[in-house]
Structures are given as structure tokens and as C-alpha cells.
Amino acid sequence: QQQVKQSPQSLIVQKGGISIINCAYENTAFDYFPWYQQFPGKGPALLIAIRPDVSEKKEGRFTISFNKSAKQFSLHIMDSQPGDSATYLCAVKDNYGQNFVFGPGTRLSVLP
Amino acid sequence: DTGVSQNPRHKITKRGQNVTFRCDPISEHNRLYWYRQTLGQGPEFLTYFQNEAQLEKSRLLSDRFSAERPKGSFSTLEIQRTEQGDSAMYLCASSPGSFVDAGELFFGEGSRLTVL
């Protein structure tokens, strides 16, 4: 049973544009919502994360928006750069089992 | 570099053979996780350890899979009688988490398994 869904599956953005990736989850027993960035052949690396007590968190060009009632959170990348081209993975952490469940990923391509 | 280290990075084996992967977590990280990732998919949870105790195993982890973390430091993941469906990237991650809070995950670069 898939608990985490991501959209879109792939995204192409022009340099300088805004990239928006969405994540939706089913279970309410999650307490930590990270986004990971993964380059081909590499392991995922934490990009930014949010806890459910805030609705938005910004770090540089990256922003997470969190909607607890809709059980959705999104990643916004401002001024997208070709170096941002990667797969972006959202995840949720189960506050009971302490396990992390990942979405299927969104492949972002930023054109120069 | 004091990040999570995984070995070997690549392994090609014939169906039916046994393989073992090793993960050295970040020093003093209490938690260690194993995930499996296939092409175009997100990582799928396999198991995790809190120190040397294996606290949770996914139903994906058949009886051909076994993981150990004998002294709460490095961990090994063994796959017996490999099948072609086992071909994937095996990712290890560690975190400074306690029993109460998992903390952030820090991933290694993975061990890619190809079963012929």
C-alpha cells in the first residue's frame, strides 16, 4: 500500500524559473516531512525538512509549504538552476515506528 | 570524509549466489537503516537498527535477507540465493536518533547489485 504520492513524475523548467513538486500522504501519524535530493548514482541527501507545527519553512532558494488538513506538502525551488537537475524525493516519518516512507520521486530538469 | 560508507559499490553476481553488503555509519550514530531502490522509484524500507537491536523489518525482507549490526557500529546485509528481482541499489542510512526521535537520515552512496 503506497502511503506517499508525488506529482509530477517529471518536470522541465527553464533556468531562473520556479519548480514546484507536490507530495501527498494518507496516514496522519507522521511528524516529520523531509525532501531529499538525489543525483544519478548517488544516495539521497537531505535538502530541507518541516515539522507539522509550522506551515512554511524557507532555506535559501528552497521552500516547503505544509498543509496539514489536506495532508499535503510541497517543495518550491526559486530561481531554478541547471545544477538543480536531479530527482527529488519527499518522505514522511512515522512517529510510532520511527520509519521513513519515501515517495516515488520527481525528476527535475532545468534547461540552461 | 566521515560520511556513511558502503561497500562494495557495485556487485555483479549469478542467480543463486549469496552476496553481502557492508555499511559503516557516521560515528556515534545510533540508528542504521537499510533501503532498497529500483530504477525510477523511491527508496523502499527494509529494516532498521537502534544500536545493535533490530527494531523493525519490512515484509519486503524475505527469509533470504538477513541484516546484522553486531556491536552497534557497522552493519551487514546478506542476500542468500539471489534472484534477478533482487537487482537494485541497496542504500544504507544512519541517524543520531534515539528511541523517541529518529532524527535526520544521512545516506551512503549505495551498493548496486546486478543479478544475472
Side-chain angles (χ1 to χ4, degrees):
Chain A
Q1 179 180 1
Q2 185 178 12
Q3 298 184 59
V4 181
K5 298 180 180 179
Q6 269 186 251
S7 61
Q9 188 175 15
S10 63
L11 181 61
I12 299 175
V13 174
Q14 293 286 338
K15 178 182 176 181
I18 302 173
S19 304
I20 302 175
I21 304 171
N22 301 298
C23 190
Y25 58 96
E26 298 175 354
N27 192 326
T28 56
F30 298 131
D31 65 353
Y32 179 66
F33 304 88
W35 283 95
Y36 284 81
Q37 182 187 56
Q38 186 176 27
F39 293 104
K42 302 292 186 181
L46 180 66
L47 191 61
I48 188 171
I50 197 168
R51 294 198 181 268
D53 52 345
V54 296
S55 60
E56 186 174 283
K57 181 176 180 180
K58 183 177 181 180
E59 291 183 359
R61 296 184 295 111
F62 302 94
T63 300
I64 292 183
S65 296
F66 180 72
N67 186 331
K68 187 174 182 178
S69 62
K71 292 185 284 187
Q72 295 178 348
F73 59 109
S74 60
L75 174 68
H76 296 235
I77 305 175
M78 309 298 289
D79 187 26
S80 299
Q81 299 296 312
D84 297 330
S85 297
T87 295
Y88 291 82
L89 299 159
C90 67
V92 296
K93 183 178 74 66
D94 178 349
N95 63 349
Y96 295 114
Q98 297 291 299
N99 174 25
F100 290 78
V101 180
F102 285 82
T106 296
R107 177 172 289 186
L108 172 65
S109 298
V110 181
L111 303 179
Chain B
D1 190 285
T2 56
V4 177
S5 177
Q6 292 189 245
N7 288 288
R9 292 292 315 281
H10 300 94
K11 179 72 175 179
I12 300 174
T13 191
K14 293 182 178 180
R15 187 180 58 177
Q17 298 295 305
N18 299 343
V19 296
T20 299
F21 300 113
R22 175 178 170 128
C23 172
D24 288 272
I26 294 172
S27 179
E28 298 182 355
H29 273 192
N30 298 314
R31 289 206 168 199
L32 189 147
Y33 294 77
W34 284 100
Y35 285 85
R36 180 174 67 188
Q37 186 176 29
T38 54
L39 197 63
Q41 298 298 316
E44 295 175 298
F45 169 75
L46 294 178
T47 189
Y48 85 87
F49 293 84
Q50 176 75 33
N51 300 315
E52 67 275 11
Q54 188 172 18
L55 295 187
E56 187 174 345
K57 293 193 293 186
S58 165
R59 58 183 176 274
L60 293 176
L61 212 65
S62 75
D63 56 6
R64 296 185 298 106
F65 288 70
S66 63
E68 294 182 343
R69 192 182 184 196
K71 296 184 179 180
S73 56
F74 73 92
S75 176
T76 58
L77 177 68
E78 181 182 18
I79 308 174
Q80 296 182 327
R81 305 182 302 280
T82 54
E83 301 173 356
Q84 289 185 323
D86 297 332
S87 296
M89 175 78 85
Y90 290 86
L91 293 165
C92 175
S94 69
S95 82
S98 65
F99 281 101
V100 177
D101 187 349
E104 295 180 15
L105 285 184
F106 294 83
F107 281 90
E109 298 209 325
S111 293
R112 179 165 295 284
L113 173 65
T114 301
V115 182
L116 301 176

